Amino acid sequence: MHVIVQKFGGTSVAKPEGREQVVKKVREALNQGLGVVVVVSAMGRAGDPYATDTLIGLARGVLKHVKPRELDLLMSCGENIATVVTVQTLKANGIDAQAFTGGQAGIITNHNFNNARIVEIKPDNLRRCLEEGKVAVVAGFQGITNEGEVTTLGRGGSDTTGAALGVALKADVIEIYTDVDGVMTADPRLVPRAKPLAEMTYNEVCEMAHLGAKVVHPRAVEIAMEGRVPLRIRSTFSDNLGTLICDVNNIGQVEIRGDKVVTGLAYISDMALIVIQSDEDLNINGQVLEVFQLMAKSGFSVDMIQVSPYQISFILTEDLADRAKDVLAELSPQISAEKGFAKVAIVGSGMRGVPGVMARMVRGLQQAGISIYHSTDSHTNIACLVKREEMCNALQALHEEFELA
């Protein structure tokens, strides 16, 4: 049997008109002779009756601290409710369906409550359901340990559920339905000329997701890439095909040219720049090692790291800046923590080995009068640190410089 996995977000299943579109998408797949597995998120967002954040607020209204184990039991409820409502909606429209929790779908995780990792999938129940001609509807975001403890997969976990089940079932494609028409060249709220992308590579989408784009969770893309199952990001509320994400060898319409090496832009705002200076070589006296060991021990995740003999610098989120400065003060009195920065990045599989990409990035920012305070790069992205108030202008300037419109 050829299988498709369709994941629908909370905005898709929260209201009757959204659920009508879910029925339409499922029926279209069934008419193509596909076995359909539907994965759903909790209904709505904070403030809505059955949204995960609403349920958490209910418990914390009684006692603020909720133990991780009990929190997972609570957080799994939103997806369970959405699963049963979706099954009832499909049945009301003449489509036979069966509901599954993450555990019933065979998703086995480790014991890391609130942010569990999938260690195994046993999809036998889903296969039986499909063989009986039913649509399998699975609660996203959750799994179960070998001992029967309910766990959740962290924010964006329903995307992860969809991708993992797609790989386990050797699906033809994994469709992630959202309220936007696929992945855009940039955030359209900040860059009005942003346009949807028809095709992207796994690596490009992973980079954009890690660099702040919120269309799909990066772990879901990584799982699909490992299993070589194509992903498609689509809107629940339109018939557009959205963005196909697959291996570069399977992309037929993308031509990598020297003047078109960037696929899209991403950004992360509210960052702080930490700088440690010294009059002595920091390598010789061991301070480089001490700094990063101390950061790790204190639970800080740092980014855009630059090390030279007399200076160490990196960025982290603004809410951690003051505490990081206090922690590092015991190592060096010459430390600064400046807030008000944003990380903007260009992403594209075509930039590897192409000269002049950084020069164009600098030119685009320079022509807009924007200063660069830090930079890092990889084979598929270059990121620059700019002032937060200049972030929007920086994104628009780079969008024009690399002709993404």
Side-chain angles (χ1 to χ4, degrees), residues 25 73 90 188 209 233 276 284 295 309 320 347 356 366 383:
K25 304 300 183 188
L73 280 173
L90 291 169
I233 312 299
I276 301 167
I284 293 175
M295 288 289 93
L320 300 176
V347 179
Q366 181 177 294

Side-chain angles (χ1 to χ4, degrees), residues 211 266-269 271 303-304 306 315 341-346 357-366 370-377 381-388 390-391 394-395 398 402:
L211 290 164
Y267 69 92
I268 303 175
S269 59
M271 304 303 293
D303 191 14
M304 297 189 84
Q306 293 188 3
I315 66 170
F341 289 99
K343 178 181 179 180
V344 297
I346 57 174
V357 181
M358 183 62 178
R360 290 185 65 184
M361 188 171 192
V362 172
R363 181 176 65 190
L365 295 175
Q366 181 177 294
I370 296 168
S371 297
I372 299 171
Y373 292 83
H374 224 46
S375 68
T376 55
D377 68 277
N381 84 76
I382 301 175
C384 290
L385 195 68
V386 302
K387 286 290 188 179
R388 181 171 51 217
E390 296 179 330
M391 179 184 74
L395 291 168
L398 294 173
F402 289 98

Side-chain angles (χ1 to χ4, degrees), residues 130-289:
L130 297 177
E131 288 166 1
E132 293 170 2
K134 301 175 183 177
V135 172
V137 183
V138 181
F141 178 60
Q142 60 178 255
I144 195 170
T145 68
N146 281 316
E147 292 73 31
E149 297 283 359
V150 174
T151 56
T152 61
L153 307 178
R155 290 296 181 183
S158 292
D159 287 352
T160 303
T161 300
L165 290 178
V167 171
L169 293 166
K170 296 181 172 58
D172 290 6
V173 66
I174 302 157
E175 294 185 333
I176 306 290
Y177 283 93
T178 70
D179 52 4
V180 296
D181 280 326
V183 184
M184 308 285 283
T185 53
D187 187 336
R189 296 170 300 177
L190 303 180
V191 183
R193 297 189 68 194
K195 67 173 186 178
L197 292 159
E199 295 173 321
M200 298 181 74
T201 67
Y202 295 115
N203 283 332
E204 286 173 333
V205 177
C206 272
E207 291 283 355
M208 288 186 70
H210 282 300
L211 290 164
K214 296 178 174 62
V215 177
V216 62
H217 196 278
R219 182 58 187 145
V221 182
E222 291 165 355
I223 290 171
M225 179 169 60
E226 291 165 5
R228 287 295 182 264
V229 178
L231 272 171
R232 189 178 288 279
I233 312 299
R234 301 182 64 182
S235 170
T236 309
F237 306 97
S238 81
D239 294 326
N240 294 338
L241 291 177
T243 304
L244 177 66
I245 302 165
C246 57
D247 190 87
V248 68
N249 295 325
N250 296 325
I251 290 183
Q253 300 177 17
V254 173
E255 179 185 357
I256 303 298
R257 303 192 305 276
D259 62 345
K260 202 72 171 178
V261 295
V262 173
T263 300
L265 310 179
Y267 69 92
I268 303 175
S269 59
D270 303 325
M271 304 303 293
L273 175 62
I274 309 297
V275 179
I276 301 167
Q277 295 181 316
S278 175
D279 298 327
E280 300 178 353
D281 191 326
L282 292 164
N283 296 288
I284 293 175
N285 61 25
Q287 272 197 300
V288 174
L289 176 59

Side-chain angles (χ1 to χ4, degrees), residues 95-163:
I95 298 174
D96 199 4
Q98 184 175 350
F100 296 87
T101 65
Q104 291 168 338
I107 298 174
I108 311 300
T109 76
N110 62 15
H111 293 78
N112 188 18
F113 293 110
N114 307 166
N115 194 27
R117 301 282 284 192
I118 297 172
V119 296
E120 185 181 7
I121 294 184
K122 302 175 181 178
D124 294 344
N125 288 339
L126 299 183
R127 288 198 179 100
R128 278 193 292 270
C129 178
L130 297 177
E131 288 166 1
E132 293 170 2
K134 301 175 183 177
V135 172
V137 183
V138 181
F141 178 60
Q142 60 178 255
I144 195 170
T145 68
N146 281 316
E147 292 73 31
E149 297 283 359
V150 174
T151 56
T152 61
L153 307 178
R155 290 296 181 183
S158 292
D159 287 352
T160 303
T161 300

Side-chain angles (χ1 to χ4, degrees), residues 50-89:
Y50 310 112
T52 300
D53 287 333
T54 303
L55 298 174
I56 293 172
L58 179 65
R60 287 180 174 163
V62 178
L63 183 65
K64 186 172 183 179
H65 177 68
V66 185
K67 288 186 176 180
R69 177 183 178 275
E70 280 69 37
L71 189 60
D72 271 0
L73 280 173
L74 178 66
M75 290 196 296
S76 66
C77 293
E79 275 70 20
N80 290 342
I81 294 168
T83 298
V84 174
V85 171
T86 302
V87 165
Q88 294 298 95
T89 303

